[in-house]
Amino acid sequence: MSDNILKDIEEFLELENYTDYEFKEVCGLTFAFKREIVTIKGRISSASIAPVGIIYEENGKYYMAPLDEAVNINETVKEYVEKCI
């Protein structure tokens, strides 16, 4: 066993974390949702979907009004532009 017990446990359980964003347009506003999924040995252990902000266009640029202070605004807007524009 190595010195990093947490890493050993993650490898033994085949623990995987997936995070991505989904976007839904409603009444001209684009809502951003963060989806997080944790799998253990290929099976879903937990999953969550949380609203993180509203994306809007102003003067040809995209901005986000965050609903959660912990969200990375630049990362979310970049993914929105890559997926939806």
Side-chain angles (χ1 to χ4, degrees), residues 36-83:
E36 295 178 306
I37 300 172
V38 177
T39 62
I40 297 176
K41 294 196 177 208
R43 295 183 174 215
I44 294 176
S45 170
S46 68
S48 67
I49 298 176
V52 293
I54 300 170
I55 297 175
Y56 60 95
E57 180 186 5
E58 188 173 292
N59 297 328
K61 293 185 179 181
Y62 291 92
Y63 299 93
M64 185 171 126
L67 300 173
D68 184 0
E69 293 178 11
V71 70
N72 184 334
I73 294 172
N74 293 333
E75 177 184 322
T76 307
V77 172
K78 180 180 176 185
E79 190 161 337
Y80 170 72
V81 170
E82 289 174 358
K83 283 185 174 179

Side-chain angles (χ1 to χ4, degrees), residues 4-66:
N4 191 345
I5 293 175
L6 182 58
K7 184 176 179 177
D8 291 339
I9 292 171
E10 287 177 353
E11 288 177 5
F12 175 75
L13 295 176
E14 299 172 20
L15 188 66
E16 303 254 348
N17 293 315
Y18 301 98
T19 301
D20 68 342
Y21 294 92
E22 290 189 26
F23 306 97
K24 179 73 173 175
E25 189 171 329
V26 178
C27 298
L29 296 173
T30 302
F31 292 87
F33 297 89
K34 184 176 184 179
R35 181 171 54 180
E36 295 178 306
I37 300 172
V38 177
T39 62
I40 297 176
K41 294 196 177 208
R43 295 183 174 215
I44 294 176
S45 170
S46 68
S48 67
I49 298 176
V52 293
I54 300 170
I55 297 175
Y56 60 95
E57 180 186 5
E58 188 173 292
N59 297 328
K61 293 185 179 181
Y62 291 92
Y63 299 93
M64 185 171 126

